[in-house]
Amino acid sequence: QVQLVQSGSEVKKPGSSVKVSCKASGGSISNSAITWVRQVPGQGLEWMGRVIPLLGTANYGPKFQGRVTITADRSTSIAYMELSNLRSDDTAVYYCARYANWLDPWGQGTLVTVSS
Amino acid sequence: EIVLTQSPGTLSLSPGERATLSCRASQSIGSSYFAWYQQKPGQAPRLLIFGAATRATGVPDRFSGSGSGADVTLTINRLEPEDFAVYYCQQYFSTPYTFGPGTKLEIK
């Protein structure tokens, strides 16, 4: 059964970038899409975008377009989400999840704190 | 962008009761394009239902989904203590695949 394991918490300065990884264990992501969702503390879920490793293509939500890059390495079964030009309101837990439509399973989440 | 609204915002019930949670999309998209998730404090969301009515692997049969068009419903029969959590609906008809604001199911 596939599990997704994400990289650890990060503390970043405003204006910098963060890159979060998501590794699949117990299976491969080659034939699946990986989606990234974020959750600001105490708030709901926001769909950021997805990558289809087999095709090497990604698409992004309009709120994040231009600031987010989602990639995947099929050989290592690791997906990445890089968010640039960080602001304080980017402080959130970032989740990866398998599949492009309904999302299952989810990674454990990575807290990214943006603070000067 | 399709906007999802969920009602009620908070639902207070006792174990053993039935919970009915609603989700409405800003346009008709067909019930096949909805999913439901459960999230407990400090945990990642967990998929419960996809295609509006198909239970994910391992989800107890007291959880059921229904609906059509722009409206879907999650029903939880005979509430167990572990069912008290926040529930989100999601549409995957068109990107960005938006989520509803959530319904908090709390113990009365």
Side-chain angles (χ1 to χ4, degrees):
Chain A
Q1 185 162 339
V2 173
Q3 288 186 306
L4 300 178
V5 179
Q6 299 182 222
S7 50
S9 298
E10 302 262 12
V11 179
K12 293 293 183 180
K13 299 285 189 187
S16 66
S17 299
V18 67
K19 191 170 186 177
V20 181
S21 67
C22 170
K23 181 173 175 57
S25 64
S28 171
I29 62 170
S30 292
N31 297 321
S32 305
I34 295 292
T35 296
W36 288 86
V37 174
R38 84 172 184 184
Q39 186 170 39
V40 173
Q43 297 189 23
L45 305 169
E46 291 182 282
W47 188 89
M48 298 181 71
R50 66 184 180 189
V51 62
I52 302 174
L54 191 63
L55 302 177
T57 58
N59 62 312
Y60 306 114
K63 180 175 180 177
F64 303 98
Q65 186 80 42
R67 283 208 302 144
V68 69
T69 304
I70 297 174
T71 57
D73 184 332
R74 293 171 59 195
S75 65
T76 58
S77 285
I78 300 176
Y80 300 92
M81 185 283 299
E82 183 170 22
L83 188 62
S84 63
N85 194 20
L86 290 168
R87 308 184 292 252
S88 58
D89 59 2
D90 290 319
T91 294
V93 176
Y94 292 79
Y95 294 102
C96 63
R98 191 179 61 162
Y99 295 139
N101 299 322
W102 59 87
L103 305 174
D104 180 53
W106 294 57
Q108 83 276 20
T110 296
L111 174 62
V112 175
T113 303
V114 182
S115 174
S116 55
Chain B
E1 175 174 317
I2 296 174
V3 177
L4 301 183
T5 55
Q6 291 186 241
S7 60
T10 302
L11 185 57
S12 300
L13 293 170
S14 300
E17 293 191 295
R18 172 186 295 175
T20 302
L21 288 67
S22 297
C23 174
R24 169 169 288 181
S26 56
Q27 64 187 72
S28 180
I29 63 175
S31 62
S32 299
Y33 299 98
F34 285 94
W36 287 95
Y37 301 87
Q38 176 193 68
Q39 187 178 34
K40 297 179 180 179
Q43 297 184 17
R46 169 199 178 196
L47 176 69
L48 296 175
I49 301 282
F50 62 93
T54 302
R55 277 188 300 276
T57 302
V59 175
D61 61 7
R62 63 179 182 274
F63 290 87
S64 63
S66 63
S68 62
D71 296 284
V72 290
T73 299
L74 175 69
T75 301
I76 313 171
N77 289 309
R78 304 177 307 278
L79 282 167
E80 298 283 345
E82 63 266 26
D83 298 337
F84 293 90
V86 179
Y87 292 84
Y88 295 96
C89 59
Q90 178 215 0
Q91 65 80 21
Y92 48 90
F93 178 78
S94 68
T95 58
Y97 292 164
T98 46
F99 294 86
T103 290
K104 181 179 181 181
L105 177 57
E106 63 177 25
I107 298 178
K108 187 175 181 179

